[in-house]
Amino acid sequence: METLLKNLGKTLLGVAGFSALMLVPAVAAPNSEARLHKFSTTIEKERPELDEETKALIAAYRKSPTAANRAALKKKVEKNYDAIVARKKAKLEELKRTARHQSKVTEMQEIVDEMIENRATRVEQNMARFTDKRLRPGSRDAKDGFHALIGAAENVSIAHTPVTNEEYAAFVKATKRKAPAGWTRDGEPPAGKARHPVVNVSCDDATAYCKWLSARDKNASYRLPTEAEWELAAGHMPKDADFNCKDTHPEIATRDLQNDKLPSGMVLTTPVDAYEKTLSACGAIDMWGNCWASTDIIAQNGRERGRKVKEIKGGSWYAHRTSCRTEMRGEGRASSLGYNTVGFRVVRED
């Protein structure tokens, strides 16, 4: 049991959850002096890890997956979650007294509201991960460019990176599909951006790409992730993370235009492997950047508000940091249109 707990503890440090250690894409390799995010005063100064009781309960369930052991683990998971909500509430009250700008209070209020509203969902996500029999040392390692999606169906895995320009170019050449806006007349990606995530592709384009991949692989099929799958893969976004978003670009940080009003040539993406030392819950990189999901929603924000659209997850280079949170919902775009802030990542079913 002692050895199991030791190995399990090492593994769980990489598993997404409200109390597990995680990293997100940073503009460069993270350093010890950048633990606190410099753009937000709502960031707490500690990052909780799983305590010994939680790890012991996980180990007990994995050794004997009875209803009683599951109930004990869930009770502890709920207790841990509620403790974090309490800390967030305390931080909110502190900001109400000390914040210089109302926006900081609003930011934390949104986080608290989300955590309360999504409590059941987030507890069950953690339970799905912690009770998945594939959760063991090495489970976050990529195999053939894909990661096991711990907590989801056992035959589902997710790509290590978003689809790149060079990968999408092969699809364009093979199928004669129209190249994304901003590419050359010969269907070539912008110079020097082969390893950047492809953008200006619609959800319909992304679906067609998945079908093309599936036709080439006799052993697997490919598709876009669902909202639930994407959230399991990403995990909760750490509170002290730096990554490529609007706040890191002074030239656009104060702009509030809708995505479709951005200058058509403005694309401030970075290579998908620029953040290879930082990992999401499943071990994938560059997770916090806009990604099409196959889930239909009624949009809650922007020009699409009130319309049935395809969901997008993870923010983008044009989104404020708080809008990139994994739990942020309600963002969607028309499935037939491409956007210079939206790319995609695929999942594989074996």
Side-chain angles (χ1 to χ4, degrees):
M1 177 63 77
E2 182 178 352
T3 301
L4 177 60
L5 281 174
K6 182 177 180 181
N7 291 335
L8 183 61
K10 292 180 180 178
T11 302
L12 291 175
L13 289 180
V15 177
F18 51 81
S19 58
L21 174 62
M22 296 166 295
L23 300 171
V24 285
V27 174
N31 61 73
S32 59
E33 297 179 356
R35 288 183 61 81
L36 300 183
H37 194 274
K38 59 187 175 182
F39 297 113
S40 177
T41 59
T42 63
I43 303 306
E44 298 176 17
K45 295 183 179 181
E46 79 285 343
R47 178 159 54 183
E49 299 177 6
L50 291 175
D51 57 36
E52 293 303 314
E53 182 184 355
T54 305
K55 288 188 285 187
L57 288 169
I58 293 171
Y61 177 82
R62 294 188 62 187
K63 185 176 181 180
S64 179
T66 64
N69 282 341
R70 190 183 194 284
L73 173 58
K74 184 175 182 180
K75 183 177 180 180
K76 177 59 175 172
V77 168
E78 291 173 332
K79 181 180 178 180
N80 291 347
Y81 188 88
D82 292 339
I84 291 182
V85 173
R87 287 206 303 272
K88 297 294 185 183
K89 288 181 176 179
K91 183 65 178 180
L92 174 60
E93 294 305 313
E94 177 188 335
L95 287 171
K96 288 179 179 179
R97 299 189 304 270
T98 63
R100 295 183 180 181
H101 303 287
Q102 178 61 34
S103 62
K104 298 304 179 184
V105 177
T106 301
E107 176 184 333
M108 182 54 74
Q109 183 69 66
E110 290 176 353
I111 292 173
V112 170
D113 291 345
E114 284 177 5
M115 292 193 72
I116 294 173
E117 179 182 355
N118 298 321
R119 180 182 185 272
T121 297
R122 289 174 66 175
V123 166
E124 285 304 319
Q125 285 177 340
N126 279 278
M127 288 296 296
R129 295 185 185 103
F130 295 160
T131 59
D132 193 317
K133 63 183 181 182
R134 296 170 296 171
L135 180 61
R136 55 176 54 90
S139 62
R140 301 173 77 206
D141 297 341
K143 296 180 181 178
D144 300 322
F146 284 79
H147 297 268
L149 219 170
I150 303 297
E154 291 188 16
N155 67 328
V156 176
S157 56
I158 192 163
H160 184 56
T161 71
V163 174
T164 64
N165 281 323
E166 64 181 356
E167 290 170 333
Y168 196 79
F171 164 67
V172 169
K173 291 178 180 178
T175 63
K176 308 301 180 184
R177 197 173 185 90
K178 184 179 179 180
W183 288 30
T184 69
R185 293 182 179 179
D186 296 328
E188 294 293 333
K193 293 192 174 183
R195 292 292 295 162
H196 285 232
V198 64
V199 293
N200 287 315
V201 292
S202 67
C203 187
D204 295 342
D205 291 329
T207 300
Y209 177 85
C210 291
K211 291 181 178 179
W212 176 70
L213 284 183
S214 298
R216 300 172 65 206
D217 191 336
K218 296 181 180 180
N219 300 313
S221 61
Y222 300 81
R223 58 175 173 79
L224 295 176
T226 64
E227 176 189 66
E229 289 169 340
W230 189 93
E231 290 184 355
L232 281 169
H236 180 60
M237 191 180 82
K239 50 185 166 288
D240 57 357
D242 274 331
F243 56 96
N244 186 25
C245 63
K246 191 174 185 178
D247 303 273
T248 63
H249 298 288
E251 66 273 31
I252 63 170
T254 59
R255 299 184 65 169
D256 290 316
L257 299 177
Q258 294 292 333
N259 286 333
D260 58 352
K261 286 188 176 182
L262 284 172
S264 59
M266 180 181 287
V267 178
L268 302 180
T269 56
T270 51
V272 296
D273 52 1
Y275 322 119
E276 62 182 2
K277 294 186 182 298
T278 55
L279 307 176
S280 66
C282 67
I285 61 175
D286 208 18
M287 202 75 194
W288 287 270
N290 259 351
C291 176
W292 286 108
S294 57
T295 306
D296 289 318
I297 63 167
I298 302 298
Q300 300 175 17
N301 306 303
R303 288 192 171 191
E304 295 82 6
R305 185 172 183 175
R307 294 169 52 193
K308 185 178 180 179
V309 292
K310 289 295 183 182
E311 188 173 27
I312 55 173
K313 297 290 294 183
S316 73
W317 57 264
Y318 187 67
H320 283 298
R321 180 179 185 278
T322 54
S323 296
C324 299
R325 297 192 307 272
T326 300
E327 295 79 21
M328 189 73 176
R329 293 174 178 161
E331 284 290 327
R333 302 288 184 268
S335 62
S336 60
L337 301 179
Y339 301 84
N340 57 358
T341 55
V342 183
F344 69 104
R345 186 186 305 253
V346 302
V347 296
R348 182 177 68 190
E349 291 186 355
D350 297 319

